[in-house]
Amino acid sequence: MNQPVKHGRMRIFLHSEFFDHYKKSPTAIISSFILVTVILLAIFGPKITVQNPYDLGSLNLSEAFKPPAWMDGGDSRFLLGTDQNGRDILSAIIYGSRVSLFIGLVGVLLTSLVGITLGLLAGYFGGKFDTIIMRIADIQLAFPSMLIALFLMGLTGPSIRNILIALTLIGWVRYTRIVRGEVLSVREKEYVDAAKVIGFSNGSIILKQILPNVMTSIIVISTLRVGSFIMTEATLSFLGVGVPISTPSLGMLCSDGFKVLYSGLWWVSIFPGLYIVIIVFAINLLGDFLRDELNPKLK
Amino acid sequence: MFKYLLKRTFQMVFVLFIVSVIVFTMTSVIGNPVYNMLPQKATDQQIQEVVVMLGLDKPLYVQYWIFLKNAIRGEFGRSYTHFVPALGLIVSKFPATIEIVIVAMGLTILLGISLGVLAGARPKSKISKLIMFGSLAGISLPSFFMGMVYIFVFAVSLRWLPVSGRGEIGTILGIRTSLATLDGWRHIILPSMTLALLNIATIIRLVRAGMMEVMRQDFIKFARSKGVAARKVLYGHALKNILIPVVTIFGLQLGELIAFTTITETIFAWPGMGKLLIDSITNLDRPIISAYLLFVAILFVVINFVVDILYTFIDPRIDLNS
């Protein structure tokens, strides 16, 4: 019974204007290809890397400071070279990307849950609740989010949980403002009045009538947010107030490598940084495409 | 106007009050500085003495009241690690920070606006596409990464520019700054470029979006058909009409820049407030953290206020009272 419906939906999707534009946009195709590769590498990476960079026993100091494989003195086992402890940079990057992606994705999930809920409630019910929430948002927006994150992390100490809390606290405002704005305009629509007249409860009106209408905006913001969260996390970790030393993310790898950059060992820090740039750039390209297709007014 | 100023001042005081409460709660609830100040094997009595010395034995609201009274007089206590008054220390580092911010701002205005206008005037041209690609790359580059690349390319490989510190400091108009000497400028280029990158990219995108919208308007067509020179149409007629969002973003970005100096200053070992904050966070140096946060809070509130006032000059139609 379910199968034909799913099939039908798939066919509608494949013939939609959205998919047609997607097929014709090289940037959208390339960026989604990059992201799929990055995610697959993060999932299956540990099976293909030459070493587990967390396992100190597998590190060999005599293999330290090897340049990338294509340079003089490079070792074909270590494609992107090794660091001061003999750690394979490529393995470290793949393991690090797992931490970075986890924080980016889970961070956006938490942030959007909190932000959307507050936005829906504030927009739908209005009144005092709305005023208080929006006042808090205004005050918070007067301060750069990086500073708020730094402050929170500095006081709570490096840990993945604390980063997620800090990201949620700095990220909810944007969701709440956009969702609230959309709710205010959707609320006046006739179908919402009709739902009220029929006797739908507030909860079901919010979830079934209003939420689907703000979904496109949410998808667009969330995509771009994953990129910005990965970058925020990397920056915090670079400054030493992000992830703990036991679970190095890409940002922390850069910070480790930065110590030996002056001695000319550029590959230790530049490659992890470059990987962040590739991930974030692909996310931004895809996010831009989604915005132009789904909701151009978010510009 | 007077009514507006009064309302605004009241709002600013309110915001600062909230910030002071947050700063106080966060700094006093989280982390215990006592253990950072004492050796590992300190006796209970020694710990108790330090607790009393710092006033940590009093109830929280009393501590807050003392904190607020002192804060209004500009006293945040002595730094736990530098042993000098916290606010004085921050103020002494302020010129170093503001000089890289000023140079970064200058770069942003120069490059951001001109490239944005160029990209917005002919959105279909090759150059515009290149500029847009570059700006998207710009917002995807973490500033610490850019700093590392600059250091590697210009300082380690080419050896053109120094990697750290403020360099020689001279005096202009009684202010001691690196901007007064050639050596200072050589030191300031890389940090400022690192700091400005994200801003330039954002401004380009904003100006371009605004330009594309304005260029479709009738008054632009009219100016063109009247025979006004292309350059004048772009910079005189069109740019003028998108200044409001640009000024807003500049205001916001000034705050953002000050926040990002923490990163830039850490990378380039620039002795400003940002590096001081990071060091103080690592050492749990509460007086400096609270003083820094309230100091920048006042700075941001003032910036937002100035931006609002600027609106009325740019666009006389805006009435601040409504």
Side-chain angles (χ1 to χ4, degrees):
Chain A
M1 199 46 203
N2 258 337
Q3 209 49 37
V5 177
K6 263 191 186 160
H7 184 70
R9 273 196 188 156
M10 196 63 199
R11 221 176 51 200
I12 291 171
F13 176 73
L14 289 177
H15 286 95
S16 66
E17 195 188 355
F18 175 80
F19 190 71
D20 187 50
H21 287 180
Y22 178 84
K23 277 188 298 190
K24 286 181 188 146
S25 161
T27 51
I29 294 175
I30 295 172
S31 55
S32 39
F33 176 75
I34 293 174
L35 289 176
V36 169
T37 316
V38 165
I39 291 170
L40 288 179
L41 270 178
I43 296 172
F44 299 108
K47 295 201 167 45
I48 51 170
T49 54
V50 293
Q51 57 172 230
N52 175 356
Y54 301 148
D55 177 15
L56 294 176
S58 73
L59 304 184
N60 188 344
L61 271 183
S62 66
E63 285 164 352
F65 304 122
K66 291 236 187 279
W70 60 88
M71 285 170 61
D72 280 346
D75 187 321
S76 60
R77 280 177 302 158
F78 309 119
L79 184 63
L80 301 181
T82 59
D83 71 357
Q84 57 269 41
N85 300 316
R87 183 186 289 155
D88 174 39
I89 301 293
L90 183 62
S91 308
I93 287 177
I94 287 174
Y95 275 80
S97 73
R98 290 160 70 97
V99 180
S100 298
L101 287 173
F102 174 81
I103 291 174
L105 292 170
V106 176
V108 166
L109 197 71
L110 289 174
T111 308
S112 53
L113 279 178
V114 173
I116 292 167
T117 313
L118 288 175
L120 286 174
L121 295 177
Y124 190 75
F125 294 110
K128 270 232 171 68
F129 182 72
D130 183 36
T131 318
I132 293 173
I133 293 290
M134 294 330 280
R135 224 337 84 92
I136 297 175
D138 283 344
I139 293 180
Q140 187 172 329
L141 280 179
F143 297 93
S145 48
M146 182 52 80
L147 206 60
I148 300 175
L150 255 176
F151 178 54
L152 290 171
M153 291 309 296
L155 292 172
T156 54
S159 89
I160 290 183
R161 191 199 61 189
N162 290 345
I163 294 185
L164 291 174
I165 295 174
L167 291 179
T168 310
L169 283 173
I170 60 173
W172 66 276
V173 178
R174 185 143 164 73
Y175 280 96
T176 303
R177 282 170 76 102
I178 287 191
V179 170
R180 173 183 173 269
E182 302 254 340
V183 172
L184 286 182
S185 66
V186 171
R187 199 175 62 173
E188 307 300 323
K189 296 267 159 65
E190 276 124 10
Y191 57 79
V192 173
D193 285 340
K196 269 187 200 158
V197 173
I198 297 172
F200 276 114
S201 68
N202 279 331
S204 96
I205 291 177
I206 291 178
L207 290 180
K208 294 202 175 122
Q209 314 293 324
I210 293 185
L211 189 59
N213 279 292
V214 297
M215 217 51 208
T216 51
S217 317
I218 292 171
I219 292 173
V220 175
I221 314 172
S222 297
T223 315
L224 294 168
R225 250 305 123 105
V226 175
S228 88
F229 274 3
I230 288 179
M231 216 142 84
T232 308
E233 179 276 319
T235 305
L236 291 171
S237 298
F238 183 82
L239 291 174
V241 291
V243 294
I245 301 174
S246 53
T247 48
S249 67
L250 293 170
M252 180 161 253
L253 294 177
C254 289
S255 149
D256 280 349
F258 183 58
K259 292 169 195 138
V260 294
L261 182 69
Y262 296 110
S263 359
L265 303 170
W266 55 272
W267 58 89
V268 185
S269 51
I270 299 291
F271 283 132
L274 212 54
Y275 201 56
I276 301 177
V277 176
I278 292 172
I279 297 176
V280 176
F281 193 45
I283 291 174
N284 284 342
L285 278 177
L286 190 67
D288 266 15
F289 169 78
L290 290 176
R291 182 186 56 198
D292 292 345
E293 284 305 314
L294 299 175
N295 196 344
K297 73 174 178 230
L298 273 180
K299 247 177 191 166
Chain B
M1 192 66 185
F2 178 71
K3 226 170 97 187
Y4 170 77
L5 285 178
L6 202 70
K7 201 177 120 197
R8 220 22 227 261
T9 314
F10 180 74
Q11 275 176 359
M12 293 193 321
V13 172
F14 178 72
V15 169
L16 291 176
F17 169 72
I18 300 280
V19 173
S20 77
V21 173
I22 295 173
V23 167
F24 173 76
T25 6
M26 296 291 293
T27 42
S28 49
V29 173
I30 301 164
N32 191 338
V34 174
Y35 298 104
N36 281 38
M37 298 176 66
L38 286 168
Q40 285 274 315
K41 45 181 191 276
T43 61
D44 285 350
Q45 201 205 337
Q46 280 174 315
I47 293 176
Q48 195 52 38
E49 273 169 18
V50 175
V51 167
V52 174
M53 187 184 92
L54 298 177
L56 299 176
D57 54 338
K58 300 190 177 76
L60 270 187
Y61 66 89
V62 177
Q63 284 189 46
Y64 174 71
W65 181 237
I66 295 171
F67 169 79
L68 191 67
K69 267 199 308 202
N70 287 335
I72 289 170
R73 284 183 304 180
E75 280 181 27
F76 292 86
R78 276 168 190 272
S79 153
Y80 297 162
T81 45
H82 299 268
F83 310 108
V84 291
L87 190 66
L89 190 59
I90 289 171
V91 171
S92 75
K93 305 269 184 187
F94 185 63
T97 294
I98 213 67
E99 66 196 21
I100 46 174
V101 169
I102 288 173
V103 177
M105 216 53 179
L107 285 172
T108 310
I109 294 174
L110 212 68
L111 292 173
I113 292 190
S114 57
L115 292 177
V117 168
L118 202 66
R122 289 185 203 80
K124 293 257 155 62
S125 75
K126 279 239 165 63
I127 291 188
S128 303
K129 291 210 166 117
L130 194 72
I131 293 173
M132 287 316 286
F133 188 79
S135 83
L136 195 66
I139 59 169
S140 312
L141 287 163
S143 66
F144 69 84
F145 179 69
M146 252 3 258
M148 286 187 334
V149 172
Y150 289 149
I151 286 181
F152 181 69
V153 174
F154 296 107
V156 178
S157 300
L158 298 171
R159 295 184 184 283
W160 285 353
L161 294 166
V163 280
S164 69
R166 258 176 109 183
E168 207 179 305
I169 296 165
T171 313
I172 314 179
L173 305 172
I175 302 163
R176 295 184 55 73
T177 162
S178 298
L179 297 176
T181 67
L182 189 67
D183 185 54
W185 273 97
R186 277 165 47 83
H187 280 82
I188 216 166
I189 292 174
L190 293 183
S192 307
M193 269 169 36
T194 308
L195 197 57
L197 182 80
L198 180 68
N199 271 26
I200 296 176
T202 325
I203 289 289
I204 288 180
R205 292 163 78 81
L206 188 80
V207 170
R208 172 182 174 265
M211 285 299 277
M212 282 168 67
E213 220 167 298
V214 172
M215 292 305 278
R216 283 198 295 264
Q217 311 266 331
D218 287 342
F219 69 89
I220 296 291
K221 285 185 194 140
F222 179 71
R224 272 193 181 148
S225 55
K226 208 170 66 171
V228 179
R231 173 179 287 268
K232 194 145 184 253
V233 172
L234 284 182
Y235 290 92
H237 297 76
L239 184 61
K240 223 173 170 179
N241 279 285
I242 58 165
L243 276 182
I244 289 270
V246 172
V247 169
T248 317
I249 291 283
F250 266 113
L252 286 173
Q253 281 191 333
L254 199 56
E256 203 77 31
L257 279 182
I258 290 169
F260 271 89
T261 53
T262 49
I263 300 149
T264 319
E265 288 178 5
T266 306
I267 300 174
F268 292 95
W270 191 267
M273 323 191 286
K275 188 165 186 319
L276 181 68
L277 177 72
I278 297 291
D279 293 344
S280 309
I281 283 178
T282 335
N283 300 323
L284 272 183
D285 198 336
R286 277 190 201 170
I288 298 210
I289 301 178
S290 355
Y292 178 92
L293 286 167
L294 280 174
F295 184 75
V296 291
I298 293 174
L299 212 59
F300 295 157
V301 167
V302 171
I303 291 170
N304 287 339
F305 178 67
V306 173
V307 167
D308 269 9
I309 300 289
L310 273 180
Y311 283 168
T312 46
F313 286 104
I314 299 170
D315 191 343
R317 285 170 301 182
I318 291 180
D319 180 10
L320 290 174
N321 288 318
S322 59

